[in-house]
Amino acid sequence: MPWLALALLAVIAVLLRQPLIGALLALAEACSFQWGAYRGTLRLTRAIGMLGADELTWRSLRQLQVHAREALGQTARAVEGARRLADEARSVGDWSLANTAINTFINAGLYQEALEVERRWEPQEVDDPEAQGADEEEALARFNLCEALYNLGEWEAARERLRAVEESPAGEPLLRHAILMQRAWIQAHTGKGAEALETLERLNREDIPRVYWSEVAFTRAAALLALGRYDEAGNEVRAGLKLARRVASTRNGLFMLGHIALAAGRLEEAARHFEAGAAHPYQGQGGGALLAWGDCLEKLGRGERAREAWRRVLERDPQSAAAREAASRLGHAGLHTT
């Protein structure tokens, strides 16, 4: 009888709905963190939403959507979603949501907003603290705030925060290897290139999501740059660009090539790389490279273009330490970066 067949189909649909949602959610996560197929992530999250996901699943969907939009360079929409995630994270005590918001704010150059997520955090009471174990997501969020600090020019504070995270009970492989990469980055940018290379020797790239493998290469390039090994540094960047899945990674690689050429004294080449990076659709952060571009142009005798580059620092990365330097070069006084 037709009604019996329809009833049977309805029962089957109910029984299969949760397994299907789980499978699609796993696929969406793989699209984001392994394959860099961010448009696929967005399509899958919309499909899952149409199946009637529960509240916990909806939180995961909102996270994936924000992450995908940020990775695609849809910065304004990503930040809008991150603000909602930050509010929700504080209300339910979910550091995973907070971490997504923090990452999005940092990648958009909103370093103070990223730090504010932690400042406004209120500890949540739990019925069984031991069941939670070490909160990996909390440690990861606090780890990511190192980047906010050093973009504000607070390198020593970033180093101290990294040390505190390393001493925390959290021990997930992802976090351990991310700490090594972050430490090497800080070492390279504070004149300790040899130490940075030693640190990277202990890093296993396989324990980091594939979409961030390009950043491992860029970190090695930064260490080689600090040691004046310019050709090797350039080769590392080009290898990283081949691995890039996020639009930010491609832009960062172009800027890194500019830094290397500038340090090597190849000013025309440096200017071309910096200009390519500045013209890239992804325009979050990047103040340090835009500042260096202006310096490069000034050395080439292109004063007006140099001032244009420095003005872009103020427009695109206004909270950064680079913005203070750019304002100084432009003769601005009383710059407020908060």
Side-chain angles (χ1 to χ4, degrees):
M1 298 176 67
W3 64 266
L4 185 58
L6 289 173
L8 184 59
L9 285 173
V11 170
I12 291 173
V14 170
L15 292 174
L16 293 180
R17 186 171 65 88
Q18 281 306 121
L20 179 59
I21 286 174
L24 291 176
L25 184 59
L27 183 58
E29 290 172 345
C31 283
S32 271
F33 299 110
Q34 296 302 321
W35 308 326
Y38 300 108
R39 297 189 189 281
T41 298
L42 292 175
R43 284 192 288 268
L44 284 166
T45 57
R46 286 193 290 268
I48 295 168
M50 293 173 64
L51 291 172
D54 60 25
E55 181 53 36
L56 285 177
T57 302
W58 268 113
R59 288 180 192 169
S60 296
L61 296 180
R62 288 192 287 271
Q63 282 182 273
L64 285 169
Q65 288 167 352
V66 169
H67 174 74
R69 294 193 189 288
E70 186 277 320
L72 287 167
Q74 299 174 10
T75 305
R77 293 191 67 180
V79 167
E80 180 183 351
R83 295 191 193 284
R84 291 194 293 269
L85 285 183
D87 290 340
E88 185 176 2
R90 284 188 289 264
S91 69
V92 299
D94 189 330
W95 276 104
S96 177
L97 296 178
N99 190 39
T100 300
I102 285 169
N103 265 328
T104 305
F105 289 144
I106 291 172
N107 291 333
L110 301 173
Y111 314 117
Q112 296 290 359
E113 283 84 343
L115 291 165
E116 192 66 17
V117 175
E118 181 187 52
R119 292 190 191 112
R120 294 176 57 193
W121 195 266
E122 295 184 6
Q124 302 284 317
E125 293 185 7
V126 294
D127 296 331
D128 186 6
E130 292 186 4
Q132 284 193 327
D135 193 333
E136 303 286 354
E137 287 292 343
E138 178 178 356
L140 191 57
R142 297 188 190 281
F143 157 81
N144 283 324
L145 286 171
C146 294
E147 186 176 351
L149 289 169
Y150 63 63
N151 274 286
L152 290 167
E154 300 176 21
W155 288 94
E156 185 56 37
R159 184 184 291 110
E160 288 301 315
R161 173 178 284 272
L162 190 62
R163 184 177 298 117
V165 173
E166 189 173 22
E167 293 172 355
S168 73
E172 182 184 349
L174 166 62
L175 182 58
R176 291 200 307 270
H177 289 280
I179 285 172
L180 291 173
M181 188 163 67
Q182 191 76 283
R183 182 190 299 140
W185 185 261
I186 292 172
Q187 289 168 334
H189 285 77
T190 52
K192 300 175 181 177
E195 291 181 26
L197 287 179
E198 289 179 10
T199 298
L200 288 171
E201 287 299 317
R202 295 154 50 199
L203 187 152
N204 182 0
R205 192 178 69 174
E206 299 292 333
D207 284 317
I208 294 174
R210 186 177 294 271
V211 295
Y212 297 113
W213 284 7
S214 57
E215 273 66 29
V216 177
F218 297 159
T219 302
R220 187 176 298 279
L224 292 166
L225 172 59
L227 293 171
R229 294 161 59 177
Y230 305 128
D231 290 341
E232 293 173 79
N235 289 337
E236 283 290 340
V237 174
R238 283 183 278 274
L241 283 168
K242 291 179 181 178
L243 295 169
R245 295 293 182 271
R246 301 159 62 242
V247 291
S249 298
T250 300
R251 193 284 310 271
N252 292 342
L254 294 171
F255 275 160
M256 180 69 79
L257 288 173
H259 282 297
I260 293 166
L262 179 60
R266 304 192 297 266
L267 300 184
E268 290 288 356
E269 178 188 339
R272 289 195 299 272
H273 289 310
F274 282 132
E275 185 166 6
H280 192 275
Y282 188 86
Q283 299 185 358
Q285 294 186 302
L290 295 170
L291 182 74
W293 182 29
D295 294 346
C296 177
L297 291 168
E298 186 179 46
K299 290 178 181 178
L300 287 168
R302 302 168 191 169
E304 185 51 45
R305 292 209 64 205
R307 286 187 286 276
E308 180 185 338
W310 293 329
R311 283 192 288 269
R312 290 196 193 187
V313 182
L314 305 183
E315 295 166 1
R316 296 187 184 182
D317 206 0
Q319 294 185 6
S320 66
R324 294 192 293 274
E325 293 291 333
S328 177
R329 285 162 172 68
L330 289 165
H332 292 179
L335 174 70
H336 298 285
T337 61
T338 58

Coordinates of all heavy atoms in Angstrom, one line a residue, residues 129-208:
P129 N 35.2 18.1 36.1 CA 36.4 18.7 35.5 C 37.3 17.6 35.0 O 38.0 17.8 33.9 CB 37.0 19.5 36.6 CG 35.9 19.8 37.6 CD 35.0 18.6 37.5
E130 N 37.5 16.5 35.7 CA 38.4 15.5 35.3 C 38.0 14.8 34.0 O 38.9 14.4 33.2 CB 38.6 14.4 36.4 CG 39.2 14.9 37.6 CD 39.5 13.8 38.6 OE1 39.2 12.6 38.3 OE2 39.9 14.1 39.7
A131 N 36.7 14.8 33.7 CA 36.3 14.2 32.5 C 36.7 15.0 31.3 O 36.9 14.5 30.2 CB 34.8 14.1 32.5
Q132 N 36.9 16.3 31.5 CA 37.3 17.2 30.4 C 38.8 17.0 30.1 O 39.2 17.1 28.9 CB 37.1 18.6 30.7 CG 35.6 19.0 30.6 CD 35.5 20.5 30.6 OE1 36.2 21.2 31.3 NE2 34.5 21.0 29.9
G133 N 39.6 16.7 31.1 CA 41.0 16.6 30.9 C 41.6 17.9 30.5 O 41.0 19.0 30.8
A134 N 42.8 17.9 30.0 CA 43.5 19.2 29.6 C 42.7 19.8 28.4 O 42.4 19.1 27.4 CB 44.9 18.9 29.2
D135 N 42.3 21.0 28.5 CA 41.5 21.7 27.5 C 42.4 22.1 26.3 O 43.0 23.1 26.3 CB 40.8 22.9 28.1 CG 39.6 23.3 27.1 OD1 39.8 23.1 25.9 OD2 38.7 23.9 27.6
E136 N 42.4 21.2 25.3 CA 43.3 21.4 24.2 C 42.8 22.7 23.4 O 43.7 23.5 22.9 CB 43.2 20.2 23.2 CG 43.6 18.9 23.8 CD 45.1 18.8 24.1 OE1 45.8 19.7 23.6 OE2 45.5 17.8 24.7
E137 N 41.6 22.9 23.3 CA 41.1 24.1 22.6 C 41.4 25.4 23.3 O 41.8 26.4 22.6 CB 39.6 24.0 22.3 CG 39.1 23.0 21.3 CD 39.6 23.3 19.9 OE1 39.9 24.5 19.7 OE2 39.6 22.4 19.1
E138 N 41.4 25.4 24.6 CA 41.8 26.6 25.4 C 43.3 26.9 25.1 O 43.7 28.0 24.9 CB 41.5 26.4 26.8 CG 41.9 27.6 27.7 CD 41.6 27.5 29.2 OE1 41.0 26.5 29.5 OE2 42.0 28.4 29.9
A139 N 44.1 25.8 25.2 CA 45.5 26.0 25.0 C 45.8 26.5 23.6 O 46.7 27.3 23.4 CB 46.2 24.7 25.3
L140 N 45.1 25.9 22.6 CA 45.3 26.3 21.2 C 44.9 27.8 21.0 O 45.6 28.5 20.3 CB 44.5 25.4 20.3 CG 44.8 25.5 18.8 CD1 46.2 25.3 18.5 CD2 43.9 24.5 18.0
A141 N 43.8 28.2 21.6 CA 43.3 29.6 21.5 C 44.4 30.5 22.1 O 44.7 31.6 21.5 CB 42.0 29.8 22.2
R142 N 44.9 30.2 23.3 CA 45.9 31.0 24.0 C 47.2 31.1 23.1 O 47.9 32.1 23.1 CB 46.1 30.6 25.4 CG 44.9 30.7 26.3 CD 45.2 30.4 27.7 NE 44.0 30.2 28.5 CZ 43.2 31.3 29.0 NH1 43.6 32.5 28.7 NH2 42.2 31.0 29.7
F143 N 47.5 29.9 22.5 CA 48.7 29.8 21.7 C 48.5 30.8 20.5 O 49.4 31.5 20.1 CB 48.8 28.4 21.2 CG 49.6 28.3 19.9 CD1 51.0 28.3 19.9 CD2 48.9 28.1 18.7 CE1 51.7 28.2 18.7 CE2 49.6 28.0 17.5 CZ 51.0 28.0 17.5
N144 N 47.3 30.8 19.9 CA 47.1 31.6 18.7 C 47.2 33.1 19.0 O 47.6 33.9 18.1 CB 45.8 31.3 18.0 CG 45.8 30.0 17.2 OD1 46.8 29.7 16.6 ND2 44.7 29.3 17.3
L145 N 47.0 33.5 20.2 CA 47.1 34.9 20.6 C 48.5 35.4 20.6 O 48.7 36.6 20.6 CB 46.4 35.1 22.0 CG 44.9 35.1 22.0 CD1 44.3 35.1 23.4 CD2 44.3 36.2 21.2
C146 N 49.5 34.5 20.6 CA 50.9 34.9 20.4 C 51.0 35.8 19.1 O 51.8 36.8 19.1 CB 51.8 33.7 20.3 SG 52.0 32.7 21.7
E147 N 50.3 35.4 18.1 CA 50.4 36.1 16.8 C 49.8 37.5 17.0 O 50.4 38.5 16.4 CB 49.7 35.3 15.7 CG 49.9 36.0 14.3 CD 49.2 35.1 13.2 OE1 48.8 34.0 13.5 OE2 49.2 35.7 12.1
A148 N 48.8 37.6 17.7 CA 48.2 39.0 17.9 C 49.2 39.9 18.6 O 49.4 41.0 18.3 CB 46.9 38.9 18.8
L149 N 49.9 39.3 19.6 CA 50.9 40.1 20.4 C 52.1 40.5 19.5 O 52.5 41.7 19.5 CB 51.4 39.3 21.6 CG 50.4 39.1 22.7 CD1 50.9 38.0 23.7 CD2 50.1 40.4 23.4
Y150 N 52.7 39.6 18.7 CA 53.8 40.1 18.0 C 53.5 41.0 16.8 O 54.3 41.8 16.4 CB 54.8 38.9 17.6 CG 54.3 37.8 16.7 CD1 53.9 38.1 15.4 CD2 54.3 36.5 17.1 CE1 53.6 37.1 14.5 CE2 53.9 35.5 16.3 CZ 53.5 35.7 15.0 OH 53.2 34.7 14.1
N151 N 52.2 40.9 16.3 CA 51.8 41.8 15.3 C 51.6 43.2 15.9 O 51.8 44.2 15.2 CB 50.5 41.4 14.6 CG 50.8 40.5 13.5 OD1 51.2 40.9 12.4 ND2 50.5 39.2 13.7
L152 N 51.4 43.3 17.2 CA 51.3 44.5 17.9 C 52.7 45.0 18.3 O 52.9 46.1 18.9 CB 50.5 44.4 19.2 CG 49.0 44.2 18.9 CD1 48.2 43.8 20.2 CD2 48.3 45.5 18.4
G153 N 53.7 44.2 18.0 CA 55.1 44.6 18.3 C 55.6 44.1 19.6 O 56.7 44.4 20.0
E154 N 54.8 43.3 20.3 CA 55.1 42.8 21.6 C 55.8 41.4 21.6 O 55.2 40.4 21.9 CB 53.9 42.8 22.5 CG 53.3 44.2 22.7 CD 52.0 44.1 23.5 OE1 51.7 43.2 24.2 OE2 51.2 45.1 23.3
W155 N 57.0 41.3 21.0 CA 57.7 40.1 20.8 C 58.0 39.3 22.1 O 57.8 38.1 22.1 CB 58.9 40.3 20.0 CG 58.6 40.7 18.5 CD1 58.5 41.9 18.0 CD2 58.4 39.7 17.5 NE1 58.2 41.8 16.7 CE2 58.1 40.5 16.3 CE3 58.3 38.4 17.4 CZ2 57.8 40.0 15.1 CZ3 58.0 37.8 16.1 CH2 57.8 38.6 15.0
E156 N 58.4 40.0 23.1 CA 58.8 39.4 24.4 C 57.5 38.8 25.0 O 57.5 37.7 25.6 CB 59.5 40.3 25.3 CG 60.0 39.7 26.6 CD 60.9 38.5 26.3 OE1 61.7 38.5 25.4 OE2 60.8 37.5 27.1
A157 N 56.4 39.5 25.0 CA 55.1 39.1 25.5 C 54.7 37.8 24.8 O 54.2 36.9 25.4 CB 54.1 40.1 25.5
A158 N 54.9 37.8 23.5 CA 54.5 36.6 22.7 C 55.3 35.4 23.1 O 54.8 34.3 23.2 CB 54.7 36.9 21.2
R159 N 56.7 35.7 23.3 CA 57.5 34.6 23.7 C 57.1 34.0 25.0 O 57.1 32.8 25.2 CB 59.0 35.1 23.7 CG 60.0 34.0 24.0 CD 61.4 34.5 24.2 NE 61.9 35.0 22.9 CZ 62.1 36.2 22.6 NH1 61.9 37.2 23.4 NH2 62.6 36.6 21.4
E160 N 56.8 34.9 26.0 CA 56.4 34.4 27.3 C 55.0 33.7 27.2 O 54.9 32.7 27.9 CB 56.2 35.6 28.2 CG 57.6 36.2 28.6 CD 58.5 35.2 29.3 OE1 58.0 34.5 30.2 OE2 59.7 35.1 29.0
R161 N 54.1 34.1 26.4 CA 52.8 33.4 26.3 C 53.1 32.1 25.7 O 52.5 31.1 26.2 CB 51.9 34.2 25.4 CG 50.6 33.5 25.1 CD 49.7 34.4 24.3 NE 49.0 35.4 25.1 CZ 47.9 35.2 25.7 NH1 47.3 34.0 25.7 NH2 47.4 36.1 26.5
L162 N 53.9 32.0 24.7 CA 54.2 30.7 24.1 C 54.8 29.7 25.1 O 54.5 28.5 25.1 CB 55.2 30.9 22.9 CG 55.4 29.6 22.0 CD1 54.1 29.2 21.4 CD2 56.4 30.0 21.0
R163 N 55.7 30.2 26.0 CA 56.3 29.4 27.0 C 55.2 28.9 28.0 O 55.2 27.7 28.4 CB 57.4 30.2 27.8 CG 58.1 29.3 28.8 CD 59.2 30.1 29.5 NE 60.2 30.5 28.5 CZ 60.5 31.8 28.2 NH1 59.8 32.8 28.8 NH2 61.4 32.1 27.3
A164 N 54.3 29.7 28.3 CA 53.2 29.3 29.3 C 52.3 28.3 28.6 O 51.9 27.3 29.3 CB 52.4 30.5 29.6
V165 N 52.0 28.4 27.3 CA 51.2 27.4 26.7 C 52.0 26.0 26.6 O 51.4 25.0 26.8 CB 50.8 27.8 25.2 CG1 50.1 26.7 24.5 CG2 49.9 29.0 25.3
E166 N 53.3 26.1 26.4 CA 54.1 24.9 26.3 C 54.1 24.2 27.6 O 54.2 22.9 27.7 CB 55.5 25.2 25.9 CG 56.3 24.0 25.5 CD 57.7 24.4 25.0 OE1 58.1 25.6 25.2 OE2 58.3 23.6 24.3
E167 N 54.0 24.9 28.7 CA 54.1 24.3 30.0 C 52.7 23.8 30.5 O 52.6 23.2 31.6 CB 54.6 25.3 31.0 CG 56.1 25.6 30.8 CD 56.6 26.8 31.7 OE1 55.8 27.4 32.4 OE2 57.8 27.1 31.6
S168 N 51.6 24.1 29.7 CA 50.3 23.7 30.1 C 50.2 22.1 29.9 O 51.0 21.5 29.2 CB 49.3 24.4 29.3 OG 49.3 23.9 28.0
P169 N 49.2 21.5 30.5 CA 49.0 20.1 30.4 C 48.6 19.6 29.0 O 48.8 18.4 28.7 CB 47.9 19.7 31.4 CG 47.7 20.9 32.3 CD 48.2 22.1 31.5
A170 N 48.1 20.5 28.2 CA 47.7 20.1 26.9 C 48.8 19.5 26.1 O 49.9 20.1 26.0 CB 47.0 21.3 26.1
G171 N 48.6 18.4 25.4 CA 49.7 17.8 24.7 C 49.3 17.2 23.3 O 49.9 16.2 22.9
E172 N 48.3 17.7 22.7 CA 47.9 17.2 21.4 C 49.0 17.4 20.4 O 49.7 18.5 20.4 CB 46.6 18.0 20.9 CG 46.1 17.5 19.6 CD 44.9 18.4 19.2 OE1 44.4 19.1 20.0 OE2 44.5 18.2 18.0
P173 N 49.3 16.4 19.5 CA 50.4 16.6 18.5 C 50.3 17.9 17.7 O 51.3 18.5 17.5 CB 50.2 15.4 17.6 CG 49.6 14.3 18.5 CD 48.7 15.1 19.4
L174 N 49.0 18.3 17.3 CA 48.9 19.5 16.5 C 49.4 20.7 17.3 O 50.2 21.5 16.8 CB 47.4 19.7 16.2 CG 47.0 21.1 15.7 CD1 47.7 21.4 14.4 CD2 45.5 21.3 15.6
L175 N 49.1 20.8 18.6 CA 49.6 21.9 19.4 C 51.1 21.9 19.6 O 51.8 22.9 19.5 CB 48.8 21.9 20.7 CG 49.2 23.1 21.6 CD1 48.9 24.4 21.0 CD2 48.4 23.0 23.0
R176 N 51.6 20.7 19.9 CA 53.0 20.6 20.1 C 53.8 21.0 18.9 O 54.8 21.8 19.0 CB 53.4 19.1 20.4 CG 52.9 18.6 21.8 CD 53.7 17.4 22.3 NE 53.8 16.4 21.3 CZ 52.9 15.4 21.2 NH1 51.8 15.4 22.0 NH2 53.0 14.4 20.3
H177 N 53.4 20.6 17.7 CA 54.2 21.0 16.5 C 53.9 22.4 16.1 O 54.8 23.1 15.6 CB 53.9 20.0 15.4 CG 54.4 18.7 15.6 ND1 55.8 18.4 15.4 CD2 53.9 17.5 16.1 CE1 56.0 17.1 15.7 NE2 54.9 16.6 16.2
A178 N 52.7 22.9 16.4 CA 52.4 24.3 16.1 C 53.2 25.2 17.0 O 53.7 26.3 16.6 CB 50.9 24.6 16.3
I179 N 53.5 24.8 18.2 CA 54.3 25.6 19.1 C 55.7 25.7 18.6 O 56.4 26.7 18.6 CB 54.3 24.9 20.5 CG1 53.0 25.2 21.3 CG2 55.5 25.4 21.4 CD1 52.9 24.4 22.6
L180 N 56.2 24.6 18.0 CA 57.6 24.6 17.4 C 57.6 25.6 16.3 O 58.6 26.3 16.1 CB 57.9 23.2 16.9 CG 58.2 22.1 18.0 CD1 58.4 20.7 17.4 CD2 59.4 22.5 18.9
M181 N 56.6 25.6 15.4 CA 56.6 26.5 14.3 C 56.5 27.9 14.8 O 57.2 28.8 14.3 CB 55.4 26.2 13.4 CG 55.5 26.9 12.1 SD 54.5 26.3 10.7 CE 52.8 26.6 11.4
Q182 N 55.7 28.2 15.8 CA 55.6 29.6 16.3 C 56.9 30.0 16.9 O 57.3 31.2 16.8 CB 54.4 29.6 17.3 CG 54.0 31.0 17.7 CD 53.2 31.7 16.6 OE1 53.8 32.2 15.6 NE2 51.9 31.8 16.8
R183 N 57.5 29.1 17.7 CA 58.7 29.5 18.3 C 59.8 29.8 17.3 O 60.5 30.8 17.4 CB 59.2 28.4 19.2 CG 60.6 28.7 20.0 CD 61.2 27.5 20.7 NE 60.3 27.0 21.7 CZ 60.1 25.7 21.9 NH1 60.8 24.8 21.2 NH2 59.3 25.3 22.8
A184 N 59.9 29.0 16.2 CA 60.9 29.3 15.2 C 60.6 30.6 14.5 O 61.5 31.3 14.2 CB 60.8 28.1 14.2
W185 N 59.3 30.9 14.3 CA 59.0 32.2 13.7 C 59.4 33.4 14.5 O 60.0 34.3 14.0 CB 57.5 32.3 13.5 CG 57.0 33.5 12.7 CD1 56.5 34.6 13.3 CD2 57.0 33.7 11.3 NE1 56.2 35.5 12.3 CE2 56.5 35.0 11.1 CE3 57.4 32.9 10.2 CZ2 56.4 35.5 9.8 CZ3 57.3 33.4 8.9 CH2 56.8 34.7 8.7
I186 N 59.2 33.3 15.8 CA 59.6 34.3 16.7 C 61.2 34.4 16.8 O 61.7 35.5 16.7 CB 59.1 34.1 18.1 CG1 57.5 34.3 18.1 CG2 59.7 35.1 19.2 CD1 56.8 33.9 19.4
Q187 N 61.8 33.3 16.8 CA 63.3 33.3 16.8 C 63.8 33.9 15.6 O 64.8 34.7 15.6 CB 63.8 31.8 17.0 CG 63.6 31.2 18.3 CD 63.9 29.7 18.4 OE1 63.7 29.0 17.4 NE2 64.2 29.2 19.5
A188 N 63.3 33.5 14.4 CA 63.8 34.1 13.2 C 63.6 35.6 13.1 O 64.5 36.3 12.6 CB 63.0 33.5 12.0
H189 N 62.5 36.1 13.7 CA 62.2 37.6 13.6 C 62.9 38.3 14.7 O 62.7 39.6 14.8 CB 60.7 37.8 13.6 CG 60.1 37.5 12.2 ND1 59.8 36.2 11.8 CD2 59.7 38.3 11.2 CE1 59.3 36.2 10.6 NE2 59.2 37.5 10.2
T190 N 63.6 37.7 15.6 CA 64.3 38.4 16.7 C 65.8 38.0 16.5 O 66.6 38.1 17.5 CB 63.8 38.0 18.1 OG1 63.8 36.5 18.2 CG2 62.4 38.5 18.3
G191 N 66.2 37.7 15.3 CA 67.7 37.6 15.0 C 68.3 36.3 15.4 O 69.5 36.2 15.5
K192 N 67.5 35.2 15.6 CA 68.1 33.9 16.0 C 67.8 32.9 15.0 O 67.1 31.9 15.2 CB 67.5 33.5 17.4 CG 67.8 34.5 18.5 CD 67.0 34.2 19.8 CE 67.3 35.2 20.9 NZ 66.6 34.9 22.1
G193 N 68.3 33.1 13.8 CA 68.0 32.2 12.7 C 68.5 30.8 12.9 O 67.8 29.8 12.5
A194 N 69.7 30.6 13.5 CA 70.2 29.3 13.7 C 69.4 28.5 14.7 O 69.1 27.3 14.5 CB 71.7 29.4 14.2
E195 N 68.9 29.2 15.7 CA 68.1 28.5 16.7 C 66.7 28.2 16.1 O 66.2 27.1 16.4 CB 67.8 29.5 17.9 CG 69.1 29.7 18.8 CD 68.8 30.6 19.9 OE1 67.6 30.6 20.4 OE2 69.7 31.2 20.4
A196 N 66.2 29.0 15.2 CA 65.0 28.7 14.5 C 65.1 27.5 13.6 O 64.2 26.6 13.6 CB 64.6 29.9 13.6
L197 N 66.2 27.3 12.9 CA 66.4 26.1 12.1 C 66.5 24.9 13.0 O 65.9 23.8 12.7 CB 67.6 26.2 11.3 CG 67.6 27.2 10.1 CD1 68.9 27.2 9.3 CD2 66.4 26.8 9.1
E198 N 67.1 25.0 14.1 CA 67.2 23.8 15.1 C 65.8 23.5 15.6 O 65.5 22.3 15.7 CB 68.1 24.2 16.2 CG 69.6 24.3 15.9 CD 70.5 24.6 17.0 OE1 69.9 24.6 18.2 OE2 71.7 24.9 16.8
T199 N 65.0 24.5 15.9 CA 63.7 24.2 16.4 C 62.9 23.5 15.3 O 62.1 22.5 15.6 CB 63.0 25.6 16.7 OG1 63.7 26.2 17.8 CG2 61.5 25.3 17.2
L200 N 63.0 23.9 14.1 CA 62.2 23.3 13.0 C 62.6 21.9 12.7 O 61.8 21.1 12.1 CB 62.3 24.1 11.7 CG 61.6 25.5 11.7 CD1 62.0 26.3 10.5 CD2 60.1 25.3 11.8
E201 N 63.8 21.5 13.1 CA 64.2 20.1 12.9 C 63.4 19.1 13.7 O 63.3 18.0 13.4 CB 65.7 20.0 13.3 CG 66.7 20.6 12.3 CD 66.6 19.9 10.9 OE1 66.5 18.7 10.9 OE2 66.6 20.7 9.9
R202 N 62.7 19.6 14.7 CA 61.9 18.8 15.6 C 60.5 18.8 15.2 O 59.6 18.1 15.8 CB 62.0 19.3 17.1 CG 63.5 19.1 17.6 CD 63.7 20.1 18.7 NE 62.7 20.1 19.7 CZ 62.5 21.1 20.6 NH1 63.3 22.2 20.6 NH2 61.6 21.0 21.5
L203 N 60.1 19.5 14.1 CA 58.7 19.6 13.7 C 58.4 18.6 12.7 O 59.1 18.4 11.7 CB 58.5 21.0 13.1 CG 57.1 21.4 12.8 CD1 56.9 22.9 12.9 CD2 56.7 21.0 11.4
N204 N 57.3 17.9 12.9 CA 56.8 16.9 11.9 C 55.6 17.5 11.2 O 54.5 17.7 11.8 CB 56.3 15.6 12.6 CG 55.9 14.6 11.7 OD1 55.9 14.8 10.5 ND2 55.5 13.4 12.2
R205 N 55.8 17.9 9.9 CA 54.8 18.5 9.2 C 53.5 17.7 9.1 O 52.4 18.3 9.0 CB 55.3 18.8 7.7 CG 54.5 19.7 6.9 CD 55.1 20.0 5.6 NE 55.1 18.8 4.7 CZ 55.5 18.8 3.4 NH1 56.0 19.9 2.9 NH2 55.4 17.7 2.7
E206 N 53.6 16.4 9.1 CA 52.5 15.5 9.0 C 51.5 15.7 10.2 O 50.3 15.4 10.0 CB 52.9 14.1 9.0 CG 53.8 13.7 7.8 CD 53.1 13.8 6.5 OE1 51.8 13.6 6.5 OE2 53.7 14.0 5.5
D207 N 51.9 16.3 11.3 CA 51.0 16.5 12.4 C 50.4 17.9 12.4 O 49.7 18.3 13.3 CB 51.8 16.4 13.7 CG 52.1 14.9 14.1 OD1 51.1 14.1 13.9 OD2 53.2 14.6 14.4
I208 N 50.5 18.6 11.3 CA 49.9 19.9 11.1 C 48.9 19.7 9.9 O 49.2 19.1 8.9 CB 50.9 21.0 10.8 CG1 51.8 21.2 12.0 CG2 50.3 22.3 10.4 CD1 52.9 22.1 11.8

